[in-house]
Amino acid sequence: MGLLPQMPVTAEPTKRIIVNFGGYSNNPQIQDGEMREMLNMSSDQYPYLSQRQPRGLYSKKYDKVTNIMAWKEKLVIIANNGTELLYDNKHIAFLKMTGNKQIAGVNNKLCIWPDKVYYDVSTNSMGKIEAKFTATNESITFNNNSLNITSFEGNTSFKVGDAVDIAYNYDSKDYSITARIEAIAGTLITFPNNTFTDVTASAPSTRTLTLTISRTAPDFDYVMEANNRLWGCKGNTIRSCKLGDPTNWNYYQSTAADSYAVDVGSDGDFTGMANFPSHLVFFKEQCMHKLYGNNKPSSYQITTMACNGMEKGSGRSAIAVDGILYYKSKIGIMAYTGDKPVYITSSFKYKYNDAVAGTDKLKYYISMRIRGTETWELFVYDFAKKLWHKEDNVHASCFTNLNGRLMYYDADTGNLMYAIADGTDNIPEDDRMEWGAVFGDFDEMVENKKIYSRLQLRFSMEDDSDVSVYIQIDNQDWQMVSHVRNTRQRSLFLPISPGRCDKFSIKIVGHGRCIIKSLVRNVSEGSGI
């Protein structure tokens, strides 16, 4: 007996409505309302889909900016490829070393690495974090706790409280002493009692020799301020300066003000650091080192957690907001709350490097380079809604938050920008900003062919805006099915029909402001033929 003919399915069409538009996702299967690609979209009007807000221009006049930081409610800029320091829009000093700079402020001193210099805002003067004085073949008087050096008079590089190294050779013997300066009076430098006991007991107190006094600071790859101390790390070493004094890194007097140093045993170099609310975090690619304590070095404790640590080259991606630390690892963006970091970006299409991030306390902005290319992409994560949106290809090389407003430097245009413009900003973008969204495949999770009798897109447009809708059926070429240009604000219902197919996708692109409010599709199941 032959097979009976297959009968068509006659069920009434099912209406599927999208009224909650999600964010960016490139998972193998994504939810209704999520998008596989987007340009200049935002979560601001969630559950509706809308464009990001325009950006504001802060300044065009700074060339080759390598770092910015808000400090004491004013803007610090490292410009001209790392060779110029500006503060509050004023030139402060030229710097010797080129390239990226680490900057951090402690009390009134803005400190810059690797130059090891500081700007004192209280005196409007530059100073050196390190200091060195050498008396060459000079007659020097040694006492039990002091040195009298004629050529030292007028020296301003050292101060009372400095921990210094004193080195000299006498009678073919090298002497090296570390001591704290207790007083400076002209040519006389006073130290704690019995600093020079061995020297004065075995030889006359006045002798001719070459003597060096130095105050040194470590080399660092990363620097930050935490708890009135400057912290730095490089290789396997973590260091902090004397409490409140970034010029002293070897101050050990068994007090709460002491400097601090520790070496860790993990493989690889440090890749970044962050100030978490309950402890400090020092990253490597495969782990993090957590330092706890009550700001007294003798109480500091350090633990190690194996995890997806910070990726090398993404040291500026760490941002802490409301007790969560976000950063870029080799596998994507992580969220750390004190336990094991959690991966929050399984949906990204590409692998990325060289991430730089900032926040306005509502969202996490991160600019990253697509691995193996010179293409940059800017993503935004909404903390409250837990949604990712892609804005555009801005290469933001540094971020800061100045007086509550997020700023970044656009490495392609050379402009210092506000991430969101206010009513007073110059807005360099076209009023009719280009935008777009590509939704995931609509296949209803049904094996048979589907018949789509109607699609309905509901949106509102502002003056002088336009919207184009494209459909891709069963992976064929995109076809425009509608184009609307509006000259006044109103809502439109746009019927579009893909017909009979296995699956289809929708791409919506436009210019100007538009809010997409719902997407409705009527579908019935057809035969498997």
Side-chain angles (χ1 to χ4, degrees):
M1 184 173 66
L3 295 175
L4 293 175
Q6 186 167 10
M7 297 297 291
V9 176
T10 59
E12 289 295 321
T14 300
K15 180 179 288 189
R16 302 190 188 277
I17 307 173
I18 299 175
V19 292
N20 291 319
F21 290 93
Y24 177 92
S25 177
N26 260 286
N27 286 323
Q29 182 175 338
I30 65 177
Q31 302 298 315
D32 266 10
E34 291 184 328
M35 287 146 278
R36 291 200 180 277
E37 190 55 86
M38 60 174 62
L39 172 66
N40 287 324
M41 304 311 289
S42 167
S43 62
D44 289 344
Q45 300 291 330
Y46 180 83
Y48 300 150
L49 182 62
S50 63
Q51 297 76 45
R52 65 169 173 83
Q53 298 182 55
R55 298 164 182 156
L57 176 66
Y58 177 82
S59 177
K60 288 184 175 180
K61 68 179 182 179
Y62 301 116
D63 186 39
K64 296 181 181 178
V65 171
T66 61
N67 209 348
I68 56 176
M69 184 181 79
W71 186 55
K72 298 187 181 296
E73 301 182 345
K74 296 176 181 177
L75 186 62
V76 178
I77 301 172
I78 306 293
N80 292 320
N81 198 27
T83 62
E84 184 180 12
L85 170 65
L86 302 109
Y87 179 61
D88 193 23
N89 295 319
K90 300 182 181 74
H91 168 83
I92 299 300
F94 287 110
L95 306 172
K96 291 184 178 180
M97 297 186 182
T98 61
N100 289 325
K101 299 295 174 73
Q102 296 289 315
I103 49 180
V106 178
N107 292 330
N108 290 319
K109 292 182 173 64
L110 177 73
C111 303
I112 304 168
W113 253 262
D115 303 66
K116 300 182 188 177
V117 297
Y118 65 83
Y119 169 62
D120 192 322
V121 69
S122 63
T123 61
N124 191 29
S125 62
M126 294 293 294
K128 294 182 179 181
I129 291 172
E130 294 184 313
K132 185 175 183 179
F133 165 81
T134 300
T136 304
N137 294 325
E138 185 172 345
S139 180
I140 299 173
T141 299
F142 286 78
N143 290 302
N144 175 275
N145 66 340
S146 67
L147 296 172
N148 198 318
I149 309 172
T150 301
S151 62
F152 190 82
E153 187 167 18
N155 187 291
T156 59
S157 299
F158 297 90
K159 62 184 184 301
V160 173
D162 281 351
V164 297
D165 296 320
I166 307 163
Y168 55 93
N169 180 282
Y170 184 72
D171 285 342
S172 300
K173 182 178 180 181
D174 291 326
Y175 292 86
S176 181
I177 300 169
T178 299
R180 184 185 72 255
I181 297 177
E182 295 200 338
I184 298 175
T187 62
L188 185 66
I189 314 166
T190 303
F191 302 91
N193 288 335
N194 301 318
T195 296
F196 303 106
T197 299
D198 292 343
V199 180
T200 55
S202 60
S205 59
T206 300
R207 58 199 67 183
T208 299
L209 46 73
T210 295
L211 178 144
T212 299
I213 302 174
S214 58
R215 185 188 67 227
T216 60
D219 295 325
F220 291 132
D221 290 330
Y222 304 97
V223 176
M224 70 177 181
E225 186 276 336
N227 304 319
N228 200 26
R229 294 176 181 272
L230 205 63
W231 292 82
C233 60
K234 183 180 177 68
N236 279 320
T237 302
I238 299 169
R239 301 282 298 269
S240 92
C241 69
K242 176 184 176 184
L243 184 68
D245 184 358
T247 65
N248 271 274
W249 294 85
N250 298 290
Y251 187 92
Y252 300 105
Q253 303 296 321
S254 299
T255 70
D258 279 4
S259 306
Y260 176 78
V262 65
D263 289 330
V264 298
S266 56
D267 293 336
D269 293 334
F270 284 110
T271 55
M273 58 200 302
N275 186 0
F276 195 67
S278 60
H279 54 274
L280 305 184
V281 183
F282 301 86
F283 289 100
K284 294 189 176 184
E285 284 199 324
Q286 76 287 355
C287 69
M288 63 169 64
H289 297 278
K290 300 187 280 188
L291 189 144
Y292 299 86
N294 60 2
N295 207 31
K296 186 176 181 179
S298 60
S299 73
Y300 289 158
Q301 294 182 339
I302 192 163
T303 64
T304 302
M305 176 190 288
C307 63
N308 288 299
M310 187 175 292
E311 180 184 38
K312 183 179 180 181
S314 295
R316 292 183 181 178
S317 66
I319 298 291
V321 178
D322 294 334
I324 303 177
L325 176 63
Y326 301 88
Y327 67 91
K328 172 70 169 64
S329 73
K330 291 183 74 172
I331 65 169
I333 313 303
M334 313 298 293
Y336 169 68
T337 59
D339 297 322
K340 198 97 169 178
V342 177
Y343 180 42
I344 63 170
T345 53
S346 60
S347 60
F348 280 7
K349 182 177 182 179
Y350 301 108
K351 299 295 184 182
Y352 296 89
N353 297 111
D354 304 327
V356 178
T359 185
D360 60 2
K361 305 304 181 184
L362 299 175
K363 298 177 181 180
Y364 177 73
Y365 291 71
I366 183 163
S367 177
M368 303 178 286
R369 181 174 57 83
I370 298 176
R371 189 173 297 173
T373 75
E374 293 303 319
T375 300
W376 293 77
E377 295 188 330
L378 177 65
F379 287 88
V380 179
Y381 181 68
D382 188 312
F383 298 129
K385 303 178 183 77
K386 300 189 184 319
L387 295 175
W388 283 100
H389 284 77
K390 188 171 113 176
E391 293 200 348
D392 55 12
N393 299 108
V394 161
H395 175 194
S397 61
C398 42
F399 285 89
T400 195
N401 196 295
L402 179 65
N403 299 322
R405 299 187 66 191
L406 181 63
M407 301 179 63
Y408 67 90
Y409 179 71
D410 188 328
D412 292 329
T413 66
N415 294 340
L416 274 172
M417 301 290 296
Y418 288 114
I420 298 176
D422 67 13
T424 64
D425 291 332
N426 177 7
I427 300 175
E429 298 177 291
D430 191 325
D431 290 339
R432 301 183 68 251
M433 177 178 64
E434 182 181 3
W435 57 270
V438 179
F439 291 88
D441 293 336
F442 299 112
D443 62 8
E444 320 309 329
M445 298 299 292
V446 174
E447 293 300 324
N448 291 339
K449 295 282 187 179
K450 278 75 66 177
I451 300 172
Y452 292 92
S453 57
R454 186 176 66 171
L455 294 171
Q456 196 170 62
L457 191 67
R458 181 173 177 263
F459 52 91
S460 62
M461 306 168 66
E462 291 190 358
D463 290 349
D464 198 28
S465 58
D466 67 76
V467 172
S468 298
V469 181
Y470 296 80
I471 287 184
Q472 183 185 56
I473 299 175
D474 292 338
N475 296 322
Q476 298 175 18
D477 293 337
W478 288 100
Q479 296 182 359
M480 181 187 290
V481 295
S482 186
H483 175 77
V484 178
R485 184 174 181 84
N486 201 16
T487 56
R488 58 189 178 90
Q489 183 171 335
R490 59 190 175 98
S491 294
L492 296 172
F493 291 86
L494 182 65
I496 50 180
S497 177
R500 188 173 184 270
C501 62
D502 180 50
K503 63 181 179 179
F504 75 98
S505 299
I506 292 179
K507 176 170 64 175
I508 307 173
V509 297
H511 298 83
R513 312 300 297 181
C514 174
I515 299 177
I516 301 172
K517 297 182 176 180
S518 66
L519 174 62
V520 180
R521 63 191 189 275
N522 288 355
V523 58
S524 57
E525 186 175 351
S527 70
I529 299 175

